[in-house]
């Protein structure tokens, strides 16, 4: 009998791999020196405190060791990374028509303006190191919601607020790449949602890295005041090059009393990308942070969104899916720190490994002594699609009070024969049954996204089954 | 005696975040380290009891085809201030290693048990029970390395922490390429009695084989409120409920000890 093993295709990346010639207006030399950091600071017209902050961060970067506990990042040589690339446009635009043609074409192919018209309250688009477009709907702005690029905010009426919050949740001393971010950050969004405001439809920032050998270091700062609601979506992609690219962004989220922030990410960087991103949220009493995370791209990822539950009754939910294919080593997960009574954290993740891909789920739950009556539940499931791949689960729990309920469960396995048998007994072919199980495996994330993005994510996965079942 | 001056116990098998500080501990090997090599012939069954008279013990066992080693290790508060316990076992085809680790106290206990399941259908069963109070510390590593086909590991840990006790358990199921059909399970159940205890758990599954199954689960915290309410409604005081449930956790493990004399002695001792 001619048999062919069930085959699940890689994510089809052709859609994202187009690129335009590197016609940037300005870029610094590759490498990382004090001169380069000062040059970036001059370009950005930083206030004095920010210039000093950058230099202090650079000093911390040089004094901090590389992480010794995750995937290898030996292929990343900072001497070859260009830390600042200004695209060929003089300023940020608020009218789509004004964005330069090749940049506009990039985002149109990614469907950004179309999404803005149909399903978003506002859009920010970053190309290499700078925001090129930012817009927010009038009715949202009328609620007092601010959605702008971080640099404009740094020089405008929110300057003091930025100074008060910038890199306070993720200090440059946090790890080596947080220090790097502090030294060379550029671009990113600032969102302020005043007390009681509810942004019913999402805001989105899309980050596109076009230049070969470049780094992107955008900073996202979101402040959601008491009782407010916001859904923020972040998308990332880049064309594939033969040299290493680096993404060391930073996301700081401040969730006020009884406020809710949903932060969704669909990450599809190219497979030459080192994605060393840091995300952290601080949640006050009664507030809630909801992370929805899809990790599909990158050569190497270190990504662990962290929730610091600081107020009584604060909650966090993390829902994630990671798909590691050939040449990818994706180390993802999350952390939850319970710092107050009656706090709750819930983690639900899926990971899929195939074609030699490595996926690692790494989590930490810390319940401090004051966090009495706290609850935490962590569930992670991993699917191995072949014996060339690897899937690891490394959770840690540190519990310092008896008045807590902590549950953890994890499972690694392959597609269940029983499930296939059941579906076949309902009339599906074995091939269809396996395809259904694999696509359903990632449903925990897709069902949490707005419909348009769930469809996009399903397209992104493009799981195909073919051949007879062996 | 060992000629090493420093040994690493509880080395991290897969590092967690640096900030959680759960890395390996390096300690000086006491002069009195006792090496206990065990070799079991094909089909041989043996039960070994160690009761913690040594500050440092190294057990290395080779189990031939179909051999069964039952290692029962008891640590008591009256023993040395620090006890270092290394266990290394290799299992051939259909060999089985059963490890019963009972920690009833002790200022500092460092355990490192690593079992390599080389042979087909070889098995490792770990039954761990601990009861710590005061400022006692237990730092434990338990690792099952699956190399052979259809190998099986079960790591079950159950314990009670009171006062300022500290416990760290790293349980690792390592499913390596070639161990098709292997199954690894790990389950931990920790009862925290006082607000000043500290519990760390790092249940790891490493997997590089497709046709395997790895599961772990952990339940950490106080007694279920509905259970406490039910028992209180039957006239038990909170202290009696705590004592009874803590004893139940020890009993669940002790009852599995196959040697009747050892089992009954330990049951009697823990209830005293």
């Amino acid at each position: 009998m001619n048999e062919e093993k069930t085959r699940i295709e890689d994510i089809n990346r052709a859609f994202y791999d187009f690129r335009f010639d590197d016609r940037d207006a300005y870029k610094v030399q590759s490498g990382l020196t004090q001169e380069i950091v000062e040059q970036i600071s001059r370009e950005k017209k930083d206030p004095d405190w920010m210039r000093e902050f950058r230099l202090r961060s650079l000093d911390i970067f040089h004094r901090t060791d590389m992480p010794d506990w995750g995937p290898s990042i030996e292929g990343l040589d900072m001497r070859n990374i260009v830390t600042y690339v200004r695209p060929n446009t003089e300023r940020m635009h608020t009218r789509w028509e004004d964005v330069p043609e090749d940049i506009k074409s990039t985002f149109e192919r990614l469907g950004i303006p179309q999404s803005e018209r149909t399903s978003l309250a506002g859009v920010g688009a970053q190309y290499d190191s700078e925001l090129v477009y930012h817009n927010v709907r009038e009715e949202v702005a009328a609620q007092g919601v601010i959605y702008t690029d971080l640099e404009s905010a740094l020089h405008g009426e929110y300057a003091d607020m930025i100074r008060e919050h910038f890199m306070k949740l993720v200090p440059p001393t946090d790890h080596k790449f947080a220090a790097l971010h502090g030294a060379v950050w550029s671009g990113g969004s600032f969102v302020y949602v005043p007390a009681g405001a509810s942004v019913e439809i999402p805001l989105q920032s899309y980050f596109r890295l076009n230049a070969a050998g470049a780094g992107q270091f955008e900073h996202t700062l979101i402040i959601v005041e008491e009782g407010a609601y916001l859904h923020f979506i972040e998308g990332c992609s880049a064309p594939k090059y033969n040299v290493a690219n680096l993404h060391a962004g930073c996301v700081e989220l401040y969730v006020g009393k009884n406020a809710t922030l949903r932060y969704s990410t669909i990450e599809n960087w190219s497979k030459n990308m080192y994605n060393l991103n840091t995300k952290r949220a601080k949640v006050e009493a009664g507030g809630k942070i909801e992370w929805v995370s899809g990790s599909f791209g990158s050569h190497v990822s270190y990504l662990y969104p962290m929730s610091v539950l600081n107020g009584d009754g604060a909650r966090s939910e993390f829902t994630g899916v990671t798909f590691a294919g050939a040449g990818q080593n994706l180390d993802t997960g999350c952390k939850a720190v319970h710092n107050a009574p009656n706090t709750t954290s819930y983690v639900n993740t899926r990971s899929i490994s195939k074609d030699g891909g490595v996926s690692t789920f790494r989590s930490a739950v810390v319940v401090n002594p004051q966090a009495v009556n706290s609850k935490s539940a962590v569930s992670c499931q991993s699917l191995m699609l072949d014996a060339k791949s690897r899937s690891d689960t490394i959770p840690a729990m540190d519990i310092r009070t008896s008045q807590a309920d902590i549950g953890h469960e994890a499972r690694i396995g392959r597609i269940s024969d029983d499930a296939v048998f059941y579906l076949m007994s309902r009339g599906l072919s074995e091939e269809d049954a396996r395809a259904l199980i694999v696509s359903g495996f990632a449903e925990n994330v897709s069902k949490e996204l707005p419909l348009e993005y769930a469809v996009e994510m399903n397209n992104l996965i493009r799981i195909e089954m073919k051949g007879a079942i062996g | 005696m060992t000629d090493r001056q420093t040994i690493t116990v509880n080395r991290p098998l897969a590092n967690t975040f640096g900030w959680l500080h759960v890395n390996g501990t390096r300690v000086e090997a006491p002069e009195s380290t006792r090496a206990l090599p065990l070799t079991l012939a094909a089909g041989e069954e043996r039960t070994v009891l160690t009761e913690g008279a040594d500050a440092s013990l190294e057990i290395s066992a080779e189990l031939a085809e179909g051999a069964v080693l039952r290692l029962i290790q008891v640590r008591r508060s009256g023993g040395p201030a620090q006890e270092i316990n290394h266990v290394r076992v290799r299992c051939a085809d259909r060999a089985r290693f059963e490890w019963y680790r009972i920690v009833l106290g002790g200022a500092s206990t460092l355990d490192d048990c690593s079992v390599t399941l080389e042979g087909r259908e070889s098995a490792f069963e770990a039954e761990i029970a601990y009861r710590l109070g005061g400022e006692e510390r237990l730092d434990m590593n338990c690792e099952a390395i699956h190399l052979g086909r259809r190998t099986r590991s079960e790591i079950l840990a159950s314990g009670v922490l009171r006062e300022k006790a500290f416990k760290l358990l790293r349980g690792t199921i390592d499913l390596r390429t070639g161990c098709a059909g292997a199954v690894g399970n790990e389950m931990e159940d920790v009862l925290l009695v006082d607000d000043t205890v500290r519990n760390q758990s790092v249940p790891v599954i490493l997997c590089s084989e497709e046709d395997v199954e790895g599961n772990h689960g952990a339940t950490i915290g106080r007694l279920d409120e509905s259970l406490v309410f039910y028992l209180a409604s039957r006239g038990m005081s909170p202290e009696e409920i705590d004592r009874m449930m803590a004893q139940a956790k020890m009993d669940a493990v002790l009852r599995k000890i196959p040697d009747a004399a050892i089992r009954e002695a330990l049951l009697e001792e823990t209830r005293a």
Side-chain angles (χ1 to χ4, degrees), chain B residues 125-194:
Chain B
E125 293 169 16
E127 299 278 356
I128 300 160
Y130 52 87
R131 188 178 71 184
L132 303 173
E135 296 194 357
E136 293 172 334
R137 294 176 64 86
L138 169 62
D139 187 340
M140 178 178 276
N141 185 50
C142 183
E143 171 190 38
I145 301 169
H146 292 255
L147 296 176
R149 294 170 74 87
R150 294 195 295 280
T151 45
R152 187 172 56 81
S153 66
E154 299 274 347
I155 301 172
L156 302 175
S158 182
V160 183
L161 301 180
R162 295 176 191 277
E163 297 160 320
K164 292 184 178 174
F166 167 88
K167 182 234 92 189
L168 164 57
L169 172 60
R170 300 182 196 86
T172 298
I173 297 166
D174 190 353
L175 299 156
R176 298 206 181 161
T177 305
C179 73
V183 178
N185 292 311
E186 182 185 351
M187 179 60 71
E188 188 181 6
D189 185 4
V190 192
L191 176 59
L192 309 178
V193 177
D194 293 310

Side-chain angles (χ1 to χ4, degrees), chain A residues 5 68-69 304 335 362-364 366 373 384-387 389-414, chain B residues 14-20 174 177 192-222:
Chain A
K5 192 170 169 58
D68 61 358
W69 45 266
Y304 324 98
K335 308 179 202 172
R362 201 183 295 265
S363 73
V366 178
N373 297 321
M384 289 279 287
L385 296 181
D386 55 55
S389 305
R390 182 170 185 88
S391 183
D392 296 339
T393 304
I394 307 173
M397 288 158 275
D398 189 357
I399 315 302
R400 306 178 193 191
T401 175
S402 66
Q403 297 182 58
D405 292 321
I406 312 300
H408 179 95
E409 61 177 54
R411 173 173 294 221
I412 288 179
R414 59 178 193 146
Chain B
N15 287 333
T16 51
F17 301 104
W19 62 270
L20 200 58
D174 190 353
T177 305
L192 309 178
V193 177
D194 293 310
D195 275 346
T196 43
V197 299
R198 184 166 180 188
N199 175 78
Q200 291 187 334
S201 301
V202 189
V204 173
I205 304 178
L206 308 175
C207 179
S208 55
E209 172 60 50
E210 177 197 10
D211 181 16
V212 294
E213 199 181 308
N215 303 296
H216 66 66
T219 309
I220 303 160
R222 58 193 159 178

Side-chain angles (χ1 to χ4, degrees), chain A residues 13 267-271 295-299 301 323 328 330:
Chain A
R13 284 201 43 89
E267 180 270 296
N268 192 29
W269 293 116
S270 54
K271 291 185 181 176
S295 295
F296 300 93
S298 300
H299 170 52
S301 250
F323 190 117
Q328 292 184 280
L330 306 185

Side-chain angles (χ1 to χ4, degrees), chain A residues 311-322:
Chain A
D312 193 327
R315 290 172 292 161
S316 77
E317 274 185 27
F318 180 88
T319 308
V321 63
T322 298

Side-chain angles (χ1 to χ4, degrees), chain B:
Chain B
M1 283 280 289
T2 175
D3 56 359
R4 281 179 297 175
Q5 290 304 301
T6 304
I7 55 175
T8 302
V9 294
N10 295 345
R11 71 210 181 286
L13 299 161
N15 287 333
T16 51
F17 301 104
W19 62 270
L20 200 58
H21 305 299
V22 286
N23 295 323
T25 310
R26 287 180 72 81
V27 293
E28 291 296 313
E31 287 294 307
S32 58
T33 295
R34 186 158 66 96
L36 181 61
L38 298 168
T39 305
L40 272 68
E44 182 184 350
E45 290 196 23
R46 198 185 303 181
T47 298
V48 175
L49 172 67
T50 72
E51 297 198 85
D54 301 289
S56 181
L57 180 65
E58 285 187 359
I59 294 175
S60 52
E62 295 283 341
L63 275 58
E65 186 176 349
V68 178
L69 172 62
R70 298 184 183 95
L71 176 63
I72 304 163
Q73 297 194 280
V74 184
R75 159 75 158 145
R76 294 187 176 86
S77 50
Q82 183 172 66
E83 181 178 298
I84 303 166
N85 184 41
H86 274 271
V87 179
R88 293 284 177 275
V89 179
R90 302 177 81 85
C91 294
D93 289 357
R94 286 177 292 284
R96 188 169 83 244
F97 173 53
E98 298 174 17
W99 187 46
Y100 301 88
R101 180 56 165 148
I102 315 297
V103 181
L104 300 175
S108 172
T109 308
L110 297 161
D111 267 20
D112 186 8
C113 175
S114 177
V115 179
T116 306
L117 301 169
E118 282 183 346
R120 294 165 73 100
E121 298 174 31
S122 54
F124 168 44
E125 293 169 16
E127 299 278 356
I128 300 160
Y130 52 87
R131 188 178 71 184
L132 303 173
E135 296 194 357
E136 293 172 334
R137 294 176 64 86
L138 169 62
D139 187 340
M140 178 178 276
N141 185 50
C142 183
E143 171 190 38
I145 301 169
H146 292 255
L147 296 176
R149 294 170 74 87
R150 294 195 295 280
T151 45
R152 187 172 56 81
S153 66
E154 299 274 347
I155 301 172
L156 302 175
S158 182
V160 183
L161 301 180
R162 295 176 191 277
E163 297 160 320
K164 292 184 178 174
F166 167 88
K167 182 234 92 189
L168 164 57
L169 172 60
R170 300 182 196 86
T172 298
I173 297 166
D174 190 353
L175 299 156
R176 298 206 181 161
T177 305
C179 73
V183 178
N185 292 311
E186 182 185 351
M187 179 60 71
E188 188 181 6
D189 185 4
V190 192
L191 176 59
L192 309 178
V193 177
D194 293 310
D195 275 346
T196 43
V197 299
R198 184 166 180 188
N199 175 78
Q200 291 187 334
S201 301
V202 189
V204 173
I205 304 178
L206 308 175
C207 179
S208 55
E209 172 60 50
E210 177 197 10
D211 181 16
V212 294
E213 199 181 308
N215 303 296
H216 66 66
T219 309
I220 303 160
R222 58 193 159 178
L223 288 173
D224 180 58
E225 284 175 10
S226 57
L227 174 69
V228 173
F229 179 78
Y230 173 78
L231 294 172
S233 73
R234 290 286 181 268
M236 291 181 76
S237 69
E239 293 73 29
E240 285 173 319
I241 294 169
D242 267 358
R243 202 162 45 242
M244 185 180 79
M245 295 311 296
Q247 186 61 44
K249 289 195 184 301
M250 298 298 293
D251 284 5
V253 172
L254 296 177
R255 286 184 189 284
K256 293 179 184 172
I257 293 176
D259 185 290
I262 298 171
R263 180 178 64 236
E264 293 306 320
L266 283 171
L267 281 170
E268 194 173 320
E269 180 181 344
T270 54
R271 286 170 184 169

